[in-house]
Structures are given as structure tokens and as C-alpha cells.
Amino acid sequence: MSIPFPDLGAAYRELKDELDAAYQRVMASGWYILGEEVEHFEADFAAYCQAAHGIGVASGLDALQLALCACDIGPGDEVIVPSNTYIATWLAVSHAGATPVPVEPIEATYNIDPARIEAAITPRTRAIIPVHPFGQPADLDPILAIARRHGLKVIEDAAQAHGARYKGQRIGAHGDAVAWSFYPGKNLGAFGDGGAVTTDNADLAERLRLLRNYGSREKYVNQAQGCNSRLDPLQAAFLGVKLRHLDAWNDRRRGLAQAYLQGLADSPLILPVVPEWAEPVWHLFVIGHPQRDALQRQLTEAGIGSLIHYPIPPHRQPCYADAGYDDRRYPIATRMAVEVRC
């Protein structure tokens, strides 16, 4: 028996009739950029996330970058980011013209450590980006308290946390803005790329809608130097179908995670730790082991697919080689890169 990582075709096989109907509806409409299909999904997804507004964009990276730009964060500014995260979190800051300032994680949960954040704040700091890695919420209350004390924005990277809850409330509107990815492998994944931002701030939502569409509300009239980053109606239709099944799929993931936690409790593996206030959605079930590569070879021989998340931390990536990050300042992220896998 072979267990692939992941089987992206499974969702289509399960929902074939609903997805085919959505495709036919969009193709027959003759409307293929923004429009009612996107608006319906934006409203449904925002409501699901317990947020007032949803803005569909072209990718999760664009969602982060546009959220930063909508908050007027750019050249000369600094943004606090986790030292251990997918490179997109850092790239969004760089693409906005600001500087990523890494903060180490809590080793047991992989989440950014709130106790380390204030030491990284300078007069140039404008925002904090907590990431909810692998589908588990970061500890938002202390992060939000720090942001309020220092007059900072909080922009959450929820690319892996569709449906997760922090202290009973869904991720989606705790911070000033929440950025989402609909990359095909996500819990709520498109059949292509896509992203969104959710927020309770009406002004910020309007600014995001402006920026994603060439800075234009009215055709040929451009109020801002925006870009072209629009969730297309076909992906919105597919995501709307999947959204109706997301809770059931997340429950299925939780059941599997509990079986893994119980079955592997006496193993030498480093298993996920879940705080009592977190309700993760298990985008990934991440384990650690000092001999990670040897363990992965054993799994491959047994027909079990796996991937390493992430083998090179952002501060060691070639694209940041000239940025002056001191490797000795990020020992936890560096160690995770050689021990953590999923």
C-alpha cells in the first residue's frame, strides 16, 4: 500500500458533481474577472472566518503584501516575522519595501514566541506578522497587547489555518488583517492559485479592493498605484463548493491527528504540542527527529509519503545572503530546519 503526500485529486473525486456544476455555471456566465461569483465567495468566506470583510486576491503572497501596503508599510519600515516560516512571509515584507526582523519561535509549538517580540521592536517597527504554522494558532492575545502598546499593526499569516480557532474564535479577524492562501494543498485549496484577506476594518477592506485592481474603482480612473491581483471567478466557485465541506474535512483531520498522537505516544519522535486554548486544523502533522533524513528514507521504503518543512530557514536563503542576518541569533530556527519534517 502506498500513501502519497498529498493526494490532491481526492477532493475532486469526492465532490466531482458539485465542482463540475460550478465549472459549468461560471463558463456559461461569460464573466471571468471578479464579478458576482467572487463577491459571493468573499462574503461566505468572511462569514466563515467571523470577519466583516473578505477580499479575494491572486495568491497568499499577494494577500500578505497587499495587506502591508494597505497599512502604508513600505521602505524604511521594519516588520517582525517568525524566524521559522515559509519564505513567503518574509518575501511579502521585502516586496512591500520593508525589512523583515526575525523573532525565534516557541520550540514546542513552532509559533512565534511573544516573550521575544518586544526586544526586537525599534523606532522603525510598524507591524508584527504572526504565522499560524501547520494549522495551529499563534498565541494572539499577548501579541495584540504588545502591538497596542507600541502602536503597531498585526497582520496574521493564516495560509495554513483555515477553520482554526483561538480561544473559541475562528482565525480571521483578531489582527488588523488576516492573509490567506488557497494553494491547492491547503485545507481550503483551489485548483490553481488564489488568496484572500479578511478584516473587520471597512476602510482597510476598501483600500485592499482598490490596490488589487490597478488602484481603480472606476474603469480607466486610477486613484492609487495598485496591481493586478484578483481571485478569478472559476477558482472562487470551486472554493465556494469546498468551503461547505471544510468543517467536515477538518474534523476528519482532527480524528487522524488524535490517532497519531495516541499511537506514537511512546515513540522517540518529537510530536506536536497543542496548547489548551488552541483548536488546530492539522494542515500538517509535523514530527521531529534528530536523524530526520534517515527516518524519511524508512518511511519512503514503507510506501509512506512525506515532505520536509522547511529545509532552509529564511535567514539562510540565498535571496537574503546580503541582508546581514547573523546565523548565531537564530539557533532554534536553524535546528528546526535539520530536525523537523512532516
Side-chain angles (χ1 to χ4, degrees):
M1 180 179 180
S2 178
I3 303 173
F5 185 103
D7 180 2
L8 292 179
Y12 177 68
R13 293 190 295 272
E14 184 176 339
L15 305 178
K16 182 179 185 302
D17 291 343
E18 293 179 71
L19 292 167
D20 287 352
Y23 167 80
Q24 296 292 344
R25 182 179 69 246
V26 173
M27 297 307 294
S29 74
W31 194 281
Y32 309 122
I33 298 290
L34 296 178
E36 291 185 1
E37 200 75 53
V38 174
E39 291 169 4
H40 289 323
F41 171 71
E42 289 173 333
D44 289 346
F45 185 64
Y48 177 85
C49 296
Q50 298 178 259
H53 306 278
I55 304 92
V57 297
S59 70
L61 173 56
D62 281 4
L64 282 168
Q65 182 180 342
L66 287 170
L68 289 162
C69 292
C71 292
D72 295 319
I73 294 169
D77 297 330
E78 294 179 348
V79 177
I80 291 174
V81 296
S83 59
N84 63 311
T85 184
Y86 184 57
I87 193 70
T89 313
W90 287 43
L91 290 177
V93 177
S94 298
H95 289 174
T99 300
V101 176
V103 168
E104 290 271 81
I106 299 170
E107 199 158 1
T109 65
Y110 310 114
N111 293 113
I112 191 170
D113 188 347
R116 298 174 184 263
I117 289 176
E118 283 195 282
I121 294 174
T122 75
R124 296 171 58 192
T125 306
R126 293 289 310 284
I128 305 168
I129 300 183
V131 178
H132 306 302
F134 314 131
Q136 176 155 292
D139 193 357
L140 290 171
D141 281 352
I143 295 171
L144 291 166
I146 292 167
R148 284 192 293 269
R149 284 198 298 273
H150 294 273
L152 308 177
K153 299 293 186 182
V154 174
I155 299 170
E156 301 169 57
D157 182 341
Q160 301 180 345
H162 310 77
R165 293 179 186 270
Y166 175 72
K167 296 186 178 179
Q169 179 182 340
R170 283 200 204 274
I171 296 299
H174 291 85
D176 295 278
V178 183
W180 304 88
S181 168
F182 301 129
Y183 182 79
K186 306 301 186 185
N187 290 37
L188 181 62
F191 291 91
D193 226 329
V197 180
T198 54
T199 180
D200 276 348
N201 186 317
D203 292 337
L204 185 61
E206 182 58 24
R207 177 75 173 165
L208 285 160
R209 293 188 185 99
L210 184 74
L211 290 174
R212 74 170 176 186
N213 189 41
Y214 298 102
S216 176
R217 297 186 186 92
E218 178 185 352
K219 195 172 181 68
Y220 301 128
V221 179
N222 303 84
Q223 290 87 3
Q225 295 180 14
C227 64
N228 176 10
S229 180
R230 302 173 296 202
L231 181 66
D232 74 73
L234 190 58
Q235 297 303 338
F238 291 151
L239 288 164
V241 170
K242 286 187 165 187
L243 182 61
R244 297 194 290 269
H245 299 269
L246 181 58
D247 282 343
W249 286 346
N250 284 341
D251 285 342
R252 192 184 305 172
R253 288 173 180 266
R254 291 188 185 99
L256 292 169
Q258 287 305 310
Y260 292 152
L261 288 169
Q262 293 171 12
L264 298 171
D266 296 325
S267 76
L269 299 174
I270 302 168
L271 297 177
V273 174
V274 180
E276 54 87 19
W277 41 257
E279 187 178 322
V281 288
W282 300 102
H283 171 61
L284 299 171
F285 187 89
V286 175
I287 59 174
H289 194 279
Q291 285 79 47
R292 177 193 65 196
D293 295 341
L295 175 60
Q296 186 175 39
R297 286 193 294 271
Q298 287 183 306
L299 290 173
T300 300
E301 291 168 1
I304 300 171
S306 62
L307 289 177
I308 296 170
H309 292 74
Y310 302 99
I312 305 174
H315 72 273
R316 281 188 166 183
Q317 290 287 356
C319 62
Y320 286 108
D322 297 329
Y325 294 111
D326 185 348
D327 196 57
R328 294 168 296 182
R329 296 186 62 184
Y330 314 110
I332 300 176
T334 301
R335 184 166 62 255
M336 284 180 173
V338 297
E339 289 186 357
V340 172
R341 51 171 314 284
C342 74

